[in-house]
Amino acid sequence: MTLLAAVCLVACAETKTEIKVVGDLGDPQPTFLYSMFDGKMLPEGQVADGVVTFVVDTLEPTVAVIGRSADRRNPLCTVIIDGSPIEVTIKNGEATITKGSESNMALTDAMERVKVASSPMEQLMKEYSEAHEKFKGEIPDSIMDGFNKRYDEISEEVIATQKQIIMENKNNLAPLYLLRTGSDSYGVEFVESFLKDYKYKDCKALEPVVASISGEKNKQPGASVVDFVGKDLNDQECHLTDYVGKGKYVLVDFWASWCGPCRAEMPNVKANYEKYKDKGFEVVGISFDNDKAAWEKGVKDLGITWPQISDLKGWECAASDLYNIKAIPATLLYGPDGKVIKANLRGEELGKTLAEYLDK
């Protein structure tokens, strides 16, 4: 059995994906390849006889981007590295997968369909820019409402197209790209249902998608608090459960001292805290800072007096995964029983919601 395992490991290690880029290579030539999911550089392409060839060790399917520069500012084509040879052809500055596995050809089709669905957005942005200039930044509400309506309609069409593509490709790897780049837009129910019967549901590249589903569930109304452990400003270990589920209404505020929108929202949080703190209301800040001095200064400058917790890991903090926090400020309102009442309360909506429960 030991010998068999060793043979298997050697066989896996020898699995490679060869990618050839042909056609009008241009200048600079597309000799850079990087993993789309973690940004790591993959082996540089070698140029010979007008063809760029990449050879990549392939232990797990992943998505990679071919580019003209190492700084990733010139992405050219997205491919699925799955052990099968790939040929990318550049014509008139556009790169397309012309030969490859079922997964790669499906990805090419998906990209084109999404491009068609999103094409009206370009015209909308052009009209918005023209209106912004015409009205010197003060676009009338009636016109702005029209822009917003069209934007929502186009976005909904793009998402519907992506979801349809995902459902049509249950037996190949094309959904990897869409799920990793847009799963939060599709909704927990759709993604969870799809993954249940997806042929590649155990693919390592989908682990963050599975984690995001769990995080989204932790924010849904009725969900029980999931503990977050960090330290307070006095370097004392503390838990979110030290405050949530102890008989008070608790607003968990995900923020950071470097976050402009967070700082802009803080006066609103403070006003509601002062109004309701004697009526069974508490606020707990979970900071996405990675510099303690900046965190301390932010708390002082903003006049924050409620408890603070952080593991000082910035966007890598545990709370980001536990609650699938992709943007801040973000909030969660818990009831006295430690169950979520509502997520993402900001502005007037925060005060209105608190009044429902505390103005009695």
Side-chain angles (χ1 to χ4, degrees):
M1 289 180 67
T2 302
L3 178 60
L4 181 62
V7 170
C8 180
L9 285 173
V10 171
C12 289
E14 290 178 347
T15 302
K16 297 180 182 294
T17 299
E18 183 180 75
I19 307 168
K20 290 186 179 295
V21 184
V22 302
D24 181 13
L25 299 183
D27 185 26
Q29 294 174 326
T31 58
F32 297 94
L33 185 69
Y34 57 91
S35 171
M36 183 175 181
F37 301 147
D38 59 20
K40 290 182 179 178
M41 297 299 298
L42 299 174
E44 193 168 330
Q46 303 301 309
V47 184
D49 300 324
V51 177
V52 179
T53 302
F54 301 91
V55 179
V56 185
D57 287 332
T58 311
L59 296 178
E60 276 277 345
T62 190
V63 179
V65 178
I66 300 170
R68 296 188 183 278
S69 60
D71 59 13
R72 303 176 182 81
R73 286 186 296 182
N74 292 292
L76 189 63
C77 186
T78 302
V79 297
I80 296 174
I81 296 179
D82 60 1
S84 299
I86 303 168
E87 182 176 282
V88 174
T89 301
I90 304 177
K91 184 178 181 180
N92 298 325
E94 296 287 330
T96 305
I97 300 172
T98 45
K99 293 181 183 178
S101 62
E102 177 189 351
S103 297
N104 273 292
M105 301 317 295
L107 178 63
T108 298
D109 176 67
M111 293 287 203
E112 183 58 32
R113 288 167 64 182
V114 171
K115 182 179 178 181
V116 171
S118 59
S119 59
M121 194 68 79
E122 184 176 346
Q123 177 62 29
L124 176 61
M125 292 298 101
K126 180 176 181 292
E127 292 177 22
Y128 172 80
S129 180
E130 291 172 349
H132 192 273
E133 182 177 352
K134 177 181 178 180
F135 295 105
K136 296 180 170 51
E138 299 294 330
I139 302 176
D141 289 345
S142 59
I143 296 177
M144 197 66 213
D145 288 344
F147 283 144
N148 288 333
K149 183 174 183 293
R150 287 169 59 192
Y151 179 88
D152 289 342
E153 290 172 347
I154 296 169
S155 297
E156 288 174 7
E157 179 61 28
V158 171
I159 291 171
T161 299
Q162 292 170 331
K163 290 169 73 172
Q164 183 176 351
I165 292 169
I166 289 170
M167 294 303 297
E168 291 171 359
N169 289 278
K170 291 183 177 181
N171 295 315
N172 64 58
L173 291 161
L176 285 189
Y177 171 80
L178 294 170
L179 289 170
R180 280 298 299 268
T181 57
S183 62
D184 287 344
S185 301
Y186 308 143
V188 169
E189 186 176 342
F190 172 84
V191 177
E192 192 169 37
S193 175
F194 174 76
L195 289 180
K196 189 179 299 181
D197 299 317
Y198 182 41
K199 182 177 180 179
Y200 298 96
K201 62 183 177 183
D202 296 322
C203 180
K204 188 175 182 180
L206 288 175
E207 288 178 356
V209 176
V210 175
S212 72
I213 291 174
S214 177
E216 283 299 309
K217 285 185 172 182
N218 290 337
K219 295 188 292 187
Q220 292 181 342
S224 297
V225 62
V226 177
D227 200 15
F228 168 69
V229 184
K231 290 185 177 181
D232 61 20
L233 288 164
N234 296 315
D235 287 327
Q236 297 297 308
E237 182 178 288
C238 50
H239 296 242
L240 183 57
T241 51
D242 292 339
Y243 306 97
V244 178
K246 303 299 183 183
K248 288 188 175 184
Y249 289 89
V250 180
L251 182 76
V252 179
D253 182 29
F254 303 93
W255 76 292
S257 65
W258 46 259
C259 169
C262 299
R263 298 178 76 101
E265 175 67 8
M266 206 58 74
N268 179 51
V269 178
K270 280 184 65 178
N272 282 286
Y273 177 67
E274 293 298 329
K275 182 176 181 179
Y276 293 111
K277 66 179 182 179
D278 295 328
K279 294 185 177 183
F281 177 60
E282 181 63 276
V283 179
V284 178
I286 294 183
S287 169
F288 279 45
D289 279 278
N290 50 26
D291 182 288
K292 187 183 178 186
W295 177 30
E296 289 178 322
K297 187 175 187 302
V299 169
K300 181 179 178 181
D301 291 348
L302 293 166
I304 297 172
T305 57
W306 49 83
Q308 292 287 312
I309 310 174
S310 182
D311 57 13
L312 293 178
K313 294 182 180 179
W315 282 109
E316 300 300 318
C317 75
S320 178
D321 289 333
L322 286 173
Y323 291 99
N324 196 37
I325 304 298
K326 300 291 180 63
I328 52 176
T331 59
L332 278 174
L333 179 63
Y334 285 94
D337 58 356
K339 296 186 183 299
V340 175
I341 292 176
K342 206 167 186 179
N344 294 323
L345 292 168
R346 294 175 63 186
E348 293 182 2
E349 188 65 22
L350 173 59
K352 289 179 180 178
T353 302
L354 291 176
E356 290 179 25
Y357 293 93
L358 296 165
D359 281 343
K360 297 178 179 178

